[in-house]
Amino acid sequence: MSTRKFCLAILSSGDATGYEIRKAAQEGQFSHFIEASYGSIYPSLAKMEQEGLVTWREELSSGKPSRKIYSITQLGRDAFLKELFETPVEDLFRSPFLLLALYCRWVGPEFISKEIDRRMENLELKIADMKHELEINEDPASAWTLEYGITAYSASLNYLKMNRSKLERIASEPVSHAQAAE
């Protein structure tokens, strides 16, 4: 998903600052869709403002810097709807943990065991967060999306539980200096 589409999605739910859009990319229901940095959000908002897709207003607070509050325009809603009709690109799955698993012989079974534990804890936390979100959510589409995510993370967790000993065994195998140099 593009940062543009992500920003339009957030703004279609209500006005927001760039900070709030970034926070939505890190927490809550939108955090499962994209990793968006300030370096991609603000240029995207500026371009969308030039295109008439969003507007902004300045909000003043005593003792604090002013804030830009962004709103989606009707043109922006139309553009977002048009983008929703585009076939999504393939999901991206990148995992530093899987790179570690690929080279498990280099780090040994003790390190792999600790990292498997850490990965499992992380997955359990993600599942718990999504289940909590599901409990307080009233939107059926959001609930379906959260259930899908819970199912995907649960499958990963179950795979680790059932197959951790296999990876630990592989990590115990010696690695030759030639393999380490490749």
Side-chain angles (χ1 to χ4, degrees), residues 11 13 20 24 68-69 75-76 95 104 107 130 135 147 176:
L11 294 173
S13 299
E20 291 165 336
K68 276 187 174 180
I69 310 292
L75 188 61
S95 171
C104 66
V107 297
M130 292 175 95
E135 289 173 6
E147 290 167 351
S176 72

Side-chain angles (χ1 to χ4, degrees), residues 112-167:
I112 283 296
S113 290
K114 283 191 278 183
E115 291 305 313
I116 291 171
D117 289 341
R118 188 182 330 256
R119 178 72 174 181
M120 290 171 62
E121 287 172 20
N122 182 271
L123 289 168
E124 287 168 348
L125 284 172
K126 286 182 178 187
I127 292 166
D129 287 346
M130 292 175 95
K131 284 183 176 179
H132 174 71
E133 243 179 277
L134 187 59
E135 289 173 6
I136 61 174
N137 195 299
E138 297 179 11
D139 177 52
S142 294
W144 186 94
T145 306
L146 287 164
E147 290 167 351
Y148 184 93
I150 291 166
T151 301
Y153 284 135
S154 296
S156 184
L157 179 61
N158 289 335
Y159 184 84
L160 284 173
K161 286 178 180 178
M162 294 175 60
N163 294 285
R164 77 174 293 152
S165 62
K166 183 177 179 180
L167 186 60

Side-chain angles (χ1 to χ4, degrees), residues 17-175:
T17 64
Y19 173 80
E20 291 165 336
I21 292 171
R22 169 71 170 133
K23 190 173 179 182
Q26 293 178 308
E27 303 171 5
Q29 75 178 31
F30 290 102
S31 66
H32 311 291
F33 305 123
I34 188 172
E35 179 61 36
S37 68
Y38 291 119
S40 63
I41 291 170
Y42 284 110
S44 185
L45 288 169
K47 186 170 186 205
M48 288 189 295
E49 192 220 343
Q50 290 172 352
E51 296 171 356
L53 305 179
V54 300
T55 59
W56 63 272
R57 68 183 186 283
E58 191 171 27
E59 185 178 274
L60 303 172
S61 299
S62 65
K64 295 182 181 178
S66 64
R67 303 177 341 149
K68 276 187 174 180
I69 310 292
Y70 293 90
S71 302
I72 192 169
T73 65
Q74 186 57 50
L75 188 61
R77 288 186 191 285
D78 295 343
F80 179 53
L81 183 60
K82 183 179 177 188
E83 288 190 33
L84 284 175
F85 274 99
E86 295 172 0
T87 300
V89 297
E90 288 289 323
D91 288 346
L92 299 176
F93 183 76
R94 295 185 175 108
S95 171
F97 174 77
L98 289 180
L99 179 66
L100 177 62
L102 183 63
Y103 290 94
C104 66
R105 291 183 191 109
W106 294 25
V107 297
E110 295 82 19
F111 187 78
I112 283 296
S113 290
K114 283 191 278 183
E115 291 305 313
I116 291 171
D117 289 341
R118 188 182 330 256
R119 178 72 174 181
M120 290 171 62
E121 287 172 20
N122 182 271
L123 289 168
E124 287 168 348
L125 284 172
K126 286 182 178 187
I127 292 166
D129 287 346
M130 292 175 95
K131 284 183 176 179
H132 174 71
E133 243 179 277
L134 187 59
E135 289 173 6
I136 61 174
N137 195 299
E138 297 179 11
D139 177 52
S142 294
W144 186 94
T145 306
L146 287 164
E147 290 167 351
Y148 184 93
I150 291 166
T151 301
Y153 284 135
S154 296
S156 184
L157 179 61
N158 289 335
Y159 184 84
L160 284 173
K161 286 178 180 178
M162 294 175 60
N163 294 285
R164 77 174 293 152
S165 62
K166 183 177 179 180
L167 186 60
E168 290 165 336
R169 219 174 15 261
I170 296 167
S172 298
E173 296 172 1
V175 61

